[in-house]
Every structure is written in structure tokens, then in C-alpha cells.
Amino acid sequence: MYFLLMSYVCGIVLLPLRLSGPEGSCSGRLEVYHNAAWGSICDDQWVIRDAEVVCRQLGCGKALSANGSAAFGAGEGVIWLNRVECRGDEIHLWDCSYSLKNHTDCSHKEDAGVTCADTVRLVNGSSRCAGRVETLYGEEWGTACEDDWDMKNAAVVCRELGCGEAVDVLGNAHFGQGSGRIWPHQRFRCRGNESQIHLCSSSSTLKQNCFNDSDVGLVCADSLRLVDGSSRCAGRVEVLHRGQWGTVCDDDWDMRDAAVVCRELGCGEAVDVLGDAHFGPGSGPIWMDDVDCSGSESTLKNCASAGWGKHNCNQTKNVGVICSGKLYYFCNECNSQLLY
Ligand SMILES: *[C@@H]1O[C@H](CO)[C@@H](O)[C@H](O)[C@H]1NC(C)=O
Ligand SMILES: *[C@@H]1O[C@H](CO)[C@@H](O)[C@H](O)[C@H]1NC(C)=O
Ligand SMILES: *[C@@H]1O[C@H](CO)[C@@H](O)[C@H](O)[C@H]1NC(C)=O
Ligand SMILES: *[C@@H]1O[C@H](CO)[C@@H](O)[C@H](O)[C@H]1NC(C)=O
Ligand SMILES: *[C@@H]1O[C@H](CO)[C@@H](O)[C@H](O)[C@H]1NC(C)=O
Ligand SMILES: *[C@@H]1O[C@H](CO)[C@@H](O)[C@H](O)[C@H]1NC(C)=O
């Protein structure tokens, strides 16, 4: 009862976690957002069990290692967490015990990070959103067998990578042949609504006729992006229409609209909406105005709006969004209560 009450109060104050690695990566220095600042985690007692929980929470698959001693570089500013102790089977980091405060007794030379196993990537395309499908099996990357891939699998991979909708599945090693192995025994059967490929059911039946020239390629729409923010999950909302990127007007824009954007980009939940060109004016056309999503749409394009290019707006009013990232929140008050 007490906890529920606190959760409710905490619905207002959100505390994101993020990995400061390369874009879309499942490895990097770990950071937590608290009291309006991103801060590091100190590596005292930072072990693989803790990394397992972080990787699970991030939807990043298996933990390969818990890296300490600023292995991914030293952060700046505050160090918020220390003495994280997980059993290893928790769903979220906040289910573990830890100390949350301004840890001035720890230095950034002790920043903690994790190496999780990304489970899927697109290789040798024009962007990270197109290319040959490669999946991780154990600790080795390999290619998928063409006959096993359909648009439902493709939809899941595009979503997992934050690349919008699936546009096409290409056979005949369109993006070249992988140098790694083919996984004839890793055959995914997605329904299409899963958030990650490893959540799809997979059949382990050995597929006999898998050759390198059947390496499957995938093209995702990548028709939505967040620009000029601190990461690909925050910034000015831009949509691609008729080959040109344009902005969206902030009229009537609310958290439900932001939620659709964040979900479509594989960026977790919506944290904030910022109007009045907070992330700067865009240079292209204003493509959307009076956007009114119900919140359940799978893509921004399916939301009600004034129509492509129809607006009474200017670039001083374009909208920006901050998403949580592939991450989850826990709230300040709750954890303070639980901790102390
Ligand atoms: C993280 O730790 C693993 C295992 O010790 C190591 O192989 C890897 O190189 C480390 N990553 C970095 C960036 O140092
Ligand atoms: C953390 O404590 C240090 C030393 O007291 C102080 O300079 C710093 O501003 C504090 N940082 C935050 C974010 O509270
Ligand atoms: C990349 O793709 C091109 C075709 O788009 C192909 O000719 C080339 O061999 C591929 N390279 C690799 C390393 O797969
Ligand atoms: C996917 O759709 C099926 C029914 O088609 C449903 O049972 C399942 O819960 C859905 N999964 C998700 C993650 O939405
Ligand atoms: C695919 O190519 C790799 C490297 O060129 C090779 O080692 C492997 O045997 C090939 N696999 C098949 C099934 O032809
Ligand atoms: C943009 O709109 C604002 C408010 O409607 C207005 O004050 C401003 O002059 C307009 N700027 C341009 C360049 O049209």
C-alpha cells in the first residue's frame, strides 16, 4: 500500500538509466539520471550478476562482462550510485540493493560499465537501418538463412534497432556475403509484435540448404528521427516524406504523441515534450501539424494530423521529444524510501 502510494507520487519524477556507448550499442559506461543530472555508477562490488540485470533491463540480451575502472572512459560530474548488489535474476536494477547519493568518496576512474550482447545488427548497408541481417549465437555473429525471413521477422528487427518500419526483405546476398557462419539452426518465427528478435519463438530444426548466397538483407524505413539532441533518442522530431526530412509543429502536441515517436524509434518511453524549437529550427519543410495520436499507433504516420505539408506554423514552433532511451525508469522518491 505504502509502495503503491509512493509509486503514484513518483509517477512525476522519473530517473532514467542509459549506456554511454556508441549509438544503438549494448555496451558502454552506465549512467543514471537523478536530481536533473546524469551521473556515473561506482564500480565497488560491480560484478557480472549486476551486469546481467542491467543487460536484461536494457533488452540487450546476455551480459558478457561487468566492466569497472572506467573501461569505457571516465564520466564527468556526479557519481550517483555505488555498492550495487544484485542476485542476478532481478528484472530491473532498482530491484537490487544499492546506495543512491552524491558519492564524493568515489572517483570517475572507478566508473562502471557493462558489455551486453547485442543480438542483431544490419551490416554493409547505407545506414545502420539497412543491411545484411546478422544475429548473435553464443558469442559469435552469423548470418540468417534467407528462406526463414519474412516481413514479420523484419518488423521486429527494425523495431529492435529503432529503425522504424520494415520496408523490404532482400535475398540473394544483396548486401554481400557474411564472412561468419550461417545459423541453420537459429530460425526465428516472429509474430511481428515482439520488441526484440530474441523474444520471438525460434525453431531449432536444422535447415539443410543454407548457403552464403542466401544471406538475407533487410531495409527498414528509418522515416522518423530525433535531431540535435544529446542522443538518437532525444531531439527535434523530423519525418521523411517524398525523400525530404521535415519538422513537426508543436500545436496540440502532447505526451501521447511523444509516446508513439519514442516507441517507433525503439527509444523506450516518452519523458518530455519540448516545443518552440527547443532543439533549434529545422531547415526543411514543416511536414506535420495538429498531430493527435491516440497513443496506440505503431508509427507517427498513422496518427491523425492536418495532412502532409498542411500547417499554419513556422520553424520557431517545431517540436522536440526526449525519450528514455532503450531504458527504464525508477523514481527518486521511491528508491530513496526503499534505500534509506
Ligand atoms: C570489458 O571486460 C571484458 C572482460 O574482462 C573485456 O574483454 C573487455 O575488453 C572490456 N571492455 C573494455 C571496453 O575494456
Ligand atoms: C556533489 O557534491 C560535491 C561536493 O560537495 C558538489 O560540489 C557537487 O555540486 C554535488 N553534485 C550534485 C549534483 O549534487
Ligand atoms: C557490401 O555490399 C555490396 C553490394 O551492395 C557488395 O558488393 C560487397 O561485397 C559487400 N561487402 C561486404 C564486406 O559484405
Ligand atoms: C502479440 O500478439 C499476440 C496475438 O496476436 C498476443 O497474444 C501477444 O500478447 C502480443 N505480444 C505483444 C508483446 O504485444
Ligand atoms: C560461407 O563463407 C565462409 C567464408 O567465406 C566459409 O568459411 C563458409 O564455409 C561458407 N559457408 C557455406 C555454407 O558455404
Ligand atoms: C513565427 O511565428 C511566430 C508566432 O506565431 C511569429 O511571432 C514569428 O514572427 C514567425 N516567424 C516567422 C519567420 O514567420
Side-chain angles (χ1 to χ4, degrees):
M1 187 65 188
Y2 178 67
F3 179 74
L4 282 178
L5 180 65
M6 290 311 294
S7 298
Y8 178 75
V9 172
C10 292
I12 305 157
V13 185
L14 299 173
L15 262 191
L17 286 171
R18 70 178 182 190
L19 278 179
S20 70
E23 191 173 283
S25 158
C26 277
S27 303
R29 185 163 44 80
L30 196 55
E31 293 189 339
V32 58
Y33 194 71
H34 178 63
N35 280 356
W38 288 100
S40 305
I41 294 179
C42 192
D43 67 4
D44 291 356
Q45 298 165 39
W46 187 246
V47 293
I48 190 75
R49 289 191 304 273
D50 308 321
E52 277 161 14
V53 177
V54 169
C55 295
R56 179 175 303 120
Q57 179 177 325
L58 297 177
C60 278
K62 192 172 124 85
L64 301 180
S65 59
N67 298 77
S69 306
F72 293 97
E76 289 172 3
V78 66
I79 296 165
W80 281 133
L81 280 185
N82 195 9
R83 292 188 287 284
V84 174
E85 279 185 88
C86 306
R87 289 187 310 271
D89 61 353
E90 293 91 344
I91 307 290
H92 305 107
L93 191 65
W94 63 85
D95 299 326
C96 306
S97 82
Y98 52 79
S99 159
L100 174 67
K101 64 173 190 180
N102 183 351
H103 286 281
T104 48
D105 55 333
C106 189
S107 101
H108 281 294
K109 289 182 188 150
E110 300 167 76
D111 279 354
V114 290
T115 308
C116 314
D118 287 276
T119 53
V120 65
R121 64 184 184 190
L122 298 177
V123 180
N124 194 27
S126 57
S127 79
R128 57 181 283 278
C129 292
R132 181 173 64 243
V133 178
E134 295 196 351
T135 55
L136 197 67
Y137 187 76
E139 294 182 11
E140 195 182 348
W141 289 97
T143 53
C145 189
E146 181 186 337
D147 332 7
D148 291 338
W149 278 77
D150 59 14
M151 285 299 278
K152 285 187 278 189
N153 286 12
V156 175
V157 170
C158 292
R159 183 177 305 121
E160 177 166 359
L161 295 173
C163 287
E165 284 182 281
V167 174
D168 211 353
V169 173
L170 301 163
N172 300 319
H174 182 89
F175 292 103
Q177 295 178 356
S179 54
R181 291 169 49 193
I182 307 175
W183 305 129
H185 51 299
Q186 199 188 17
R187 307 173 60 194
F188 294 103
R189 292 273 176 275
C190 302
R191 297 172 117 141
N193 62 355
E194 296 89 346
S195 58
Q196 287 149 20
I197 189 79
H198 78 261
L199 298 178
C200 298
S201 66
S202 67
S203 128
S204 56
T205 328
L206 201 63
K207 174 93 187 168
Q208 297 297 344
N209 300 316
C210 264
F211 302 104
N212 279 345
D213 64 1
S214 57
D215 284 354
V216 62
L218 199 57
V219 179
C220 311
D222 196 17
S223 61
L224 174 69
R225 65 185 185 186
L226 296 176
V227 186
D228 291 342
S230 57
S231 77
R232 73 169 196 87
C233 291
R236 183 171 62 249
V237 179
E238 294 197 354
V239 289
L240 187 69
H241 180 61
R242 298 210 181 115
Q244 198 179 2
W245 289 99
T247 58
V248 177
C249 189
D250 66 9
D251 289 348
D252 292 340
W253 186 276
D254 60 22
M255 288 295 275
R256 278 182 312 193
D257 308 318
V260 173
V261 167
C262 294
R263 189 182 322 119
E264 180 172 357
L265 291 172
C267 279
E269 293 166 71
V271 175
D272 207 357
V273 165
L274 298 161
D276 295 330
H278 178 88
F279 293 102
S283 55
I286 297 166
W287 278 136
M288 297 178 92
D289 193 3
D290 302 326
V291 174
D292 186 19
C293 308
S294 73
S296 62
E297 294 88 349
S298 60
T299 163
L300 184 64
K301 283 183 291 181
N302 291 350
C303 297
S305 76
W308 287 110
K310 293 190 182 145
H311 66 87
N312 56 354
C313 198
N314 69 37
Q315 293 291 16
T316 64
K317 276 167 56 64
N318 71 49
V319 77
V321 165
I322 296 180
C323 313
S324 64
K326 253 180 156 179
L327 311 165
Y328 300 80
Y329 296 99
F330 57 106
C331 72
N332 186 356
E333 276 84 354
C334 290
N335 280 281
S336 304
Q337 290 300 324
L338 293 171
L339 272 174
Y340 303 120

